[in-house]
């Protein structure tokens, strides 16, 4: 990530934003957490505006802005952290990711010496894998929420969040695909993972429950449910249409593959779909293929960032593929640029990708409060310092249909319970 973001010659940032938006749209995702941009001096930060809705941009007053990063100083000060939560509609923060006592202490640190908890209705804890039923009861008392990423949890830790306890406590749960290195290809894939995990561990989630975790529940968590999350008169038309007309719609959506997505609209505007569906909906755009299926995708936006080059998905794919195949050469450039930014001597203009917790951006993705005198959260600086020389890698395929190794890799993962990878693969 550092090599791509900091060794950028100006061609990779537009390629990144284009590829990321495409990866969401082709799977029917209409809202994601935003792509953070920074000027090269690191003094100005903003979120990329494109075709997708971004949780952190929203559309006030109907769609209030969410937060997913907290200033360094507030992340380490209990009172300031609690005030940040109190003043926000929604705060999406990593919480107790891991399964050991150290990860659990990350949650316990939210309680101050007076016994008060820095937990507010705005807090949506991402992962929460180290929490137990008592912890979820505490979260429920303070009306907090949980974001669940079952496949990523199992791949990384061999265990996932106790969502049964979270549900029993009355918490609202949303589903998230986490990130490409250890998660589902997209949210459509995470629906399948959630169904398989629910069956494997007898969690008892219905197909309706699972789909709600990707639609109405996240809309409620973001305080967007008056305008999004369900289909109703007067709401924004963020819609996903899938092939087929019979059977239970929730089961049908979960079983659908990326090739079965017929149309995606955001705010009533056709953004992606088959050529016929896009024409019927008045949409147009760039032609692409998902597997062997022809599709059209539209990235244009009236308030799209003018400082970022507008390129096609095909060109973005070419640029990223070349860069990932040349990581060894890019790495020293990124190290030099990192040092220049840190020393204040960088002379580049324009925007770069802001790598939160990979590089000093004066923000955190999680609280870093102290527990028993020790600051909680992973030691990311130590991880970064231990970075080894980079070798060429292949660009992660846009979809499962376009990634020949995804299924075999999933089925061979040693951390997954026996048969779980194969059960997910069976959907494809």
């Amino acid at each position: 990530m550092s090599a791509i973001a900091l060794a950028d010659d100006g061609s990779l940032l537009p390629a990144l934003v284009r590829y990321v938006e495409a990866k969401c749209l082709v799977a029917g995702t209409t809202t994601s957490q935003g792509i953070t941009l920074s000027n090269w001096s690191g003094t100005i930060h903003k979120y990329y505006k494109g075709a997708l809705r971004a949780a952190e941009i929203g559309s006030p007053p109907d769609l209030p802005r969410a937060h997913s990063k907290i200033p360094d100083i507030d992340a380490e000060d209990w009172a300031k952290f609690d005030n940040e939560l109190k003043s926000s509609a929604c705060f999406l923060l990593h919480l107790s990711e891991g399964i050991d006592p150290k990860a659990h202490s990350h949650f316990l640190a939210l309680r101050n010496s007076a016994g008060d908890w820095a937990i507010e209705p705005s807090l949506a804890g991402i992962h929460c894998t180290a929490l137990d039923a008592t912890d979820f009861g505490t979260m429920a008392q303070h009306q907090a929420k949980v974001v669940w990423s079952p496949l990523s949890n199992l791949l990384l830790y061999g265990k996932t969040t106790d969502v049964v306890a979270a549900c029993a406590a009355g918490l609202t749960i949303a589903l998230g695909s986490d990130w490409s290195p250890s998660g589902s290809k997209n949210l459509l894939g995470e629906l399948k993972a959630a169904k398989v995990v629910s069956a494997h561990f007898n969690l008892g989630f219905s197909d309706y429950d699972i789909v709600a975790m990707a639609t109405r529940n996240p809309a409620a968590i973001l305080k967007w449910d008056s305008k999004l999350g369900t289909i109703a008169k007067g709401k924004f038309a963020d819609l996903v249409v899938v092939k087929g007309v019979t059977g239970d719609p929730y089961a049908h959506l979960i079983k659908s593959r990326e090739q079965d997505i017929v149309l995606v609209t955001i705010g009533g505007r056709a953004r992606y779909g088959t050529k016929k569906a896009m024409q019927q909906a008045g949409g147009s755009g760039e032609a692409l293929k998902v597997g062997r299926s022809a599709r059209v995708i539209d990235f244009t936006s009236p308030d799209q960032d003018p400082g970022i080059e507008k390129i096609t998905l095909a060109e973005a794919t070419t640029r990223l593929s070349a860069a990932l195949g040349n990581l060894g050469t890019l790495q020293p450039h990124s190290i030099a640029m990192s040092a220049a930014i840190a020393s204040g001597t960088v002379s580049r203009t324009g925007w770069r990708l802001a790598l939160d917790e990979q590089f000093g951006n004066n923000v955190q993705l999680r609280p870093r409060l102290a527990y028993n005198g020790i600051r909680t959260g992973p030691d990311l600086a130590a991880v970064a310092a231990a970075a080894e020389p980079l070798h060429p890698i292949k660009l992660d395929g846009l979809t499962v249909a376009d990634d020949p190794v995804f299924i075999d890799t999933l089925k061979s993962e040693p951390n997954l319970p026996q048969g779980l990878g194969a059960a997910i693969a069976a959907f494809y």
Side-chain angles (χ1 to χ4, degrees):
M1 291 190 292
S2 295
I4 295 292
L6 298 180
D8 195 357
D9 60 0
S11 70
L12 294 181
L13 181 57
L16 277 167
V17 297
R18 180 62 69 245
Y19 202 77
V20 168
E21 283 206 301
K23 211 172 184 194
C24 292
L25 282 170
V26 299
T29 302
T30 59
T31 298
S32 72
Q33 286 187 246
I35 298 170
T36 315
L37 305 177
S38 172
N39 66 346
W40 282 94
S41 67
T43 57
I44 301 174
H45 291 81
K46 68 172 183 174
Y47 290 97
Y48 172 73
K49 289 184 178 180
L52 278 181
R53 291 194 191 281
E56 295 93 339
I57 296 175
S59 181
D62 292 322
L63 307 179
R65 296 182 180 93
H67 297 277
S68 60
K69 300 168 184 62
I70 189 166
D72 283 344
I73 190 169
D74 296 340
E76 297 178 21
D77 183 293
W78 189 94
K80 289 181 178 179
F81 175 67
D82 192 45
N83 285 333
E84 284 278 346
L85 295 180
K86 282 184 167 73
S87 62
S88 302
C90 176
F91 230 122
L92 299 148
L93 293 171
H94 291 244
L95 182 62
S96 288
E97 182 181 357
I99 58 175
D100 58 8
K102 183 178 179 181
H104 190 226
S105 71
H106 193 227
F107 175 78
L108 299 177
L110 298 180
R111 191 177 191 180
N112 68 7
S113 58
D116 298 319
W117 288 92
I119 304 176
E120 302 292 339
S122 61
L123 178 62
I126 299 173
H127 300 308
C128 301
T129 43
L131 304 192
D132 57 26
T134 300
D135 302 325
F136 286 124
T138 299
M139 289 187 73
Q141 289 172 14
H142 296 83
Q143 302 177 54
K145 290 85 178 176
V146 172
V147 181
W148 183 36
S149 301
L151 181 58
S152 182
N153 295 161
L154 289 165
L155 285 170
L156 291 174
Y157 310 113
K159 181 182 176 182
T160 189
T161 312
D162 188 353
V163 284
V164 172
C167 280
L171 289 167
T172 300
I173 300 174
L175 196 66
S177 53
D178 204 13
W179 65 334
S180 295
S182 68
S184 293
K185 185 71 72 175
N186 45 53
L187 193 53
L188 186 63
E190 195 70 2
L191 291 173
K192 298 163 179 50
K195 182 177 176 68
V196 170
V197 169
S198 178
H200 184 90
F201 293 105
N202 297 313
L203 303 183
F205 291 124
S206 68
D207 292 333
Y208 172 88
D209 294 333
I210 292 169
V211 172
M213 291 179 191
T215 52
R216 65 189 305 152
N217 290 8
I221 288 172
L222 291 168
K223 308 294 192 299
W224 289 6
D225 45 320
S226 66
K227 291 294 183 180
L228 287 170
T230 56
I231 301 172
K233 183 178 179 180
K235 289 196 172 185
F236 298 143
D238 285 19
L239 304 173
V240 180
V241 181
V242 296
K243 189 184 301 182
V245 295
T246 60
D248 177 75
Y250 304 105
H252 189 78
L253 176 62
I254 293 172
K255 292 177 182 177
S256 296
R257 304 165 302 162
E258 296 133 337
Q259 303 96 300
D260 299 319
I261 301 290
V262 174
L263 183 67
V264 179
T265 70
I266 300 178
R269 176 172 173 172
R271 285 292 185 182
Y272 169 79
T274 63
K275 184 176 181 180
K276 180 179 178 181
M278 287 289 281
Q279 287 177 337
Q280 291 176 328
S284 61
E286 178 184 352
L288 73 153
K289 282 194 173 182
V290 173
R292 297 179 180 178
S293 305
R295 293 291 187 272
V296 175
I297 192 164
D298 176 16
F299 298 106
T300 60
S301 177
D303 58 353
Q304 193 167 341
D305 277 291
I308 296 177
E309 178 191 4
K310 296 174 176 61
I311 64 171
T312 64
L313 175 59
E315 176 61 23
T317 304
T318 299
R319 292 184 190 183
L320 289 176
S321 296
L324 291 170
N326 194 35
L327 287 176
T329 302
L330 291 179
Q331 188 175 25
H333 293 294
S334 71
I335 293 172
M337 188 59 75
S338 177
I341 295 171
S343 65
T345 58
V346 66
S347 58
R348 288 290 303 273
T349 59
W351 297 99
R352 64 176 171 90
L353 185 68
L355 293 177
D356 304 305
E357 300 189 331
Q358 300 288 323
F359 184 77
N361 288 315
N362 303 309
V363 292
Q364 297 285 342
L365 299 179
R366 65 200 83 218
R368 304 301 296 268
L369 306 177
Y371 181 70
N372 288 338
I374 301 173
R375 193 177 75 169
T376 58
D379 188 353
L380 296 163
V383 174
E388 298 180 358
L390 298 178
H391 303 284
I393 60 174
K394 290 186 177 180
L395 177 63
D396 184 56
L398 198 64
T399 67
V400 174
D402 300 298
D403 191 338
V405 302
F406 180 83
I407 294 299
D408 289 340
T409 302
L410 185 66
K411 290 192 289 187
S412 64
E413 287 291 342
N415 266 11
L416 293 180
Q418 185 69 32
L420 197 142
I424 296 173
F427 281 101
Y428 297 98

